[in-house]
Amino acid sequence: MSRAYYSATLEKFQNDRDDLILGELTRNHQFALEDLQRNAWIYQVHILKNTLTELPGCYLAFEYAIPRMGKRVDIVLLYQGVIFVLEFKVGEKSYTNSAIEQSLDYAVDLKNFHEESHSRAIVPIVVATEAFDCELEIQSYPDRVFSPVRSNQSNFVSHIKLISAEINEDKHLDPVQWIESIYKPTPTIIEAAQALYKGHNVKEISRSDSGAINLGVTSDTINEIINSSKENNRKSICFITGVPGAGKTLAGLNIANERHNVDEGEHAVFLSGNGPLVEVLQEALARNEVAEKKGTAQQISKNQALTKTKAFIQNIHHFRDDALQNDKPPIERVAVFDEAQRAWTLEQTRSFMARKKGIQGFDMSEPEFLISVLDRHSDWATIICLIGGGQEINTGEAGLSEWFSAIQRDYPHWDVYVSKKLTDQEYTNGENIYSSLNDNQLTVRDELHLSVSVRSYRSEKLAAFVKAFLDGNTLEARTIYAQLKDDYPIVVTRNIDDAKKWLRSQARGGEGLGIIASSGAYRLRPYGIHVKSAIDPKTWFLNDRSDIRSAGFLEDVATEFDIQGLELDWACVAWDANLRKLDDYWEFKSFRGTEWQNINDEIRRRYLLNAYRVLLTRARQGMVIFIPEGDESDRTRKPDFYNPVFQYFMECGVACI
């Protein structure tokens, strides 16, 4: 993907013919070119050629890529050491909130992920060509991203001159170096799914360093295995592992998208047992497609778009239920199972089938049944299992060993491909998972392990901090946080209103914010946090802040079950008395009836600790921890239940607001 469709010095831009510029823009445009876009380019070239002579020495780039979003900035203008992000709205008579938010999002993205932009002043400008004049306000955030400027075709150049003079940048900005800068985007799973669904490649939207190479190599290896299975009429199952944040889900979505070739009769599906994740991704893809195609010849209804997205991303339990209705092969030849280690045991599956489906004596675990469904094909099929470790929050999960037991018992004709890391303790809990496989059945491919994290540069150390914190290692947590705090702020408060105020002060543009809490946090209700009040994940994650049901309205709260696998930019983690600090240990509690009761079962304790691990790692850019002061008159909210946790955060170096 070309970084910019067209870029040039002012001198070259003025000398190039209009039809040459338009031809280069059209040639680099990967998608169907609508008249609306073509006419906008013609108008922009005309305006810029008539006005930019007032900005000698400037450099401009048309349609500059913002890979994380799968989008492009209309114009990036480099002038006197300042980066101007121009979002043109040709024919617009007003400055819409969506355009203002979009321009700020682009500027923040460049600041965060574009290496040559990290220390630079970045000014987003909305150029609504027919809009009224607005008073110029020059306001900067602490990181030198400026508040969006409202301009029209008559005054945007004068605004650029005034802003440049005000900033008075003394550091030279080399345009070639800037254009070719390393770009390390870290898309949210929603942004990644939208970009892939639109036709972008995983290499285009992931970090342009070893992280992208790693993802690309893994995707290429899986495609090689699929093609070999197809050509040789073989059935294969692949297990992908990875370090935390390496992009296993991103790799899975990319594979499912690449192999979903309906026109060639090849169908692929991304399957997940994470209901909220599936619902949110299906809805996000549908909304995005409707918006992208609105007003074009390909205009599509919401229901039509949802029908398509539900063929691409499905709830694994719905896929299973459909396969129970008949014994015919599914339409899909390639199935990607997200978090495959969390598939159900025989006991959990049998219990569910009896209780919910009226099927007595069901005799297959979920892994065994899912392999059996793809095995119905007489020629070829491929299963890709994405394997994670350490975030189990549900009972009845089978773990990795059940997949291999099922293969050994009933599917010796399946070829098994694994990474060399699959036998690590975090995946196998010490079990020898290969012992029952035939030697010629197993192939080890190093490329099936994602060894490089593609997480946000802000949160690269967050997982280590959270681990040290939950392990009770104060010194290590304090040391890590000292390295983390400049890029990833964490603060603690005893006041929920102060927590909300902090969130709103941090979020810019379309950045997501919300309140999250443990599903067992029943005594946060006096503070307006109702964990028993179910949310609609689609509405909570995707609707804008003006909707009272949205995350950004800061009223409804999501639990670990709603948010696992998804992220916010800024989060308030509300802490309740179900996880308490006692000297060097944690106390585990469950609220029953009118009292807190001890949790003695080790598995339930691990689930509760992992629930807080999930909550503490959901924010991409920073978080505030709300710990109530408690109430001496309420035996379920004694201050002693909360104060030690608050003190522990302080001992780890986290500041109080």
Side-chain angles (χ1 to χ4, degrees), residues 139-202:
Q139 298 178 333
S140 174
Y141 293 99
D143 62 358
R144 303 191 79 204
V145 170
F146 283 69
S147 296
V149 173
R150 297 164 174 82
S151 303
N152 55 41
Q153 63 180 328
S154 302
N155 63 15
F156 79 95
V157 169
S158 63
H159 282 174
I160 290 172
K161 291 168 69 176
L162 289 168
I163 294 166
S164 300
E166 174 75 19
I167 295 173
N168 192 26
E169 182 66 69
D170 59 0
K171 188 178 177 184
H172 175 66
L173 178 56
D174 184 320
V176 175
Q177 195 171 329
W178 188 89
I179 284 283
E180 296 177 354
S181 169
I182 293 174
Y183 200 115
K184 298 183 178 180
T186 56
T188 67
I189 196 63
I190 295 172
E191 292 167 339
Q194 288 173 329
L196 292 170
Y197 196 66
K198 285 168 61 179
H200 294 288
N201 185 275
V202 68

Side-chain angles (χ1 to χ4, degrees), residues 257-536:
N257 187 64
E258 285 187 342
R259 306 305 303 206
H260 195 66
N261 302 317
V262 178
D263 293 341
E264 298 176 19
E266 184 177 304
H267 296 261
V269 63
F270 180 89
L271 298 169
S272 173
N274 184 336
L277 174 67
V278 171
E279 286 184 33
V280 170
L281 290 181
Q282 288 174 343
E283 180 76 11
L285 296 183
R287 289 188 188 186
N288 201 52
E289 185 172 19
V290 169
E292 290 279 338
K293 293 181 177 178
K294 186 177 181 180
T296 73
Q298 290 81 38
Q299 187 162 314
I300 190 171
S301 73
K302 175 75 170 299
N303 285 338
Q304 289 173 314
L306 271 172
T307 299
K308 290 174 61 182
T309 64
K310 287 179 178 179
F312 171 46
I313 298 173
Q314 294 179 31
N315 189 307
I316 195 168
H317 304 308
H318 297 169
F319 179 83
R320 176 204 61 207
D321 293 348
D322 183 63
L324 284 169
Q325 304 301 315
N326 60 72
D327 57 2
K328 295 179 180 177
I331 191 172
E332 295 87 3
R333 297 278 185 164
V334 177
V336 180
F337 294 118
D338 192 29
E339 296 287 351
Q341 80 285 351
R342 299 182 61 193
W344 289 350
T345 60
L346 170 60
E347 292 74 18
Q348 180 78 0
T349 310
R350 178 181 290 161
S351 172
F352 175 85
M353 291 297 183
R355 287 183 293 106
K356 299 292 187 179
K357 302 296 177 183
I359 301 174
Q360 302 300 322
F362 193 81
D363 62 354
M364 284 191 279
S365 66
E366 202 164 39
E368 186 176 356
F369 180 69
L370 293 170
I371 298 173
S372 77
V373 174
L374 272 294
D375 195 53
R376 294 173 186 175
H377 289 290
S378 59
D379 43 13
W380 76 277
T382 300
I383 293 172
I384 298 101
C385 293
L386 310 178
I387 306 296
Q391 287 198 350
E392 298 86 354
I393 57 176
N394 285 311
T395 57
E397 294 174 353
L400 188 59
S401 61
E402 180 55 35
W403 287 93
F404 284 85
S405 296
I407 294 166
Q408 182 268 328
R409 284 194 307 269
D410 299 305
Y411 307 103
H413 55 289
W414 279 65
D415 300 323
V416 181
Y417 296 86
V418 301
S419 81
K420 64 182 179 182
K421 295 288 187 180
L422 195 64
T423 53
D424 286 3
Q425 173 73 22
E426 65 178 302
Y427 301 116
T428 66
N429 290 320
E431 296 180 63
N432 185 353
I433 57 175
Y434 299 158
S435 60
S436 56
L437 296 183
N438 301 323
D439 290 342
N440 60 357
Q441 189 178 10
L442 182 70
T443 303
V444 178
R445 296 289 299 265
D446 290 349
E447 302 93 333
L448 296 180
H449 180 70
L450 294 165
S451 59
V452 181
S453 173
V454 293
R455 278 179 172 163
S456 162
Y457 79 97
R458 286 176 179 261
S459 60
E460 284 175 345
K461 291 187 178 293
L462 177 63
F465 168 76
V466 170
K467 182 181 186 304
F469 181 86
L470 292 177
D471 286 349
N473 193 329
T474 307
L475 181 60
E476 185 178 354
R478 187 179 184 90
T479 302
I480 295 170
Y481 185 62
Q483 303 165 0
L484 174 68
K485 63 182 181 180
D486 289 340
D487 289 329
Y488 189 99
I490 303 174
V491 295
V492 64
T493 182
R494 314 303 297 268
N495 186 299
I496 188 61
D497 290 330
D498 288 345
K500 292 179 180 180
K501 190 181 301 181
W502 186 87
L503 283 179
R504 292 184 178 116
S505 72
Q506 299 297 317
R508 298 182 294 192
E511 290 179 341
L513 64 161
I515 301 172
I516 56 181
S518 158
S519 57
Y522 287 6
R523 296 310 295 138
L524 293 178
R525 188 169 179 177
Y527 309 99
I529 297 172
H530 302 262
V531 295
K532 294 182 74 173
S533 179
I535 64 166
D536 175 2

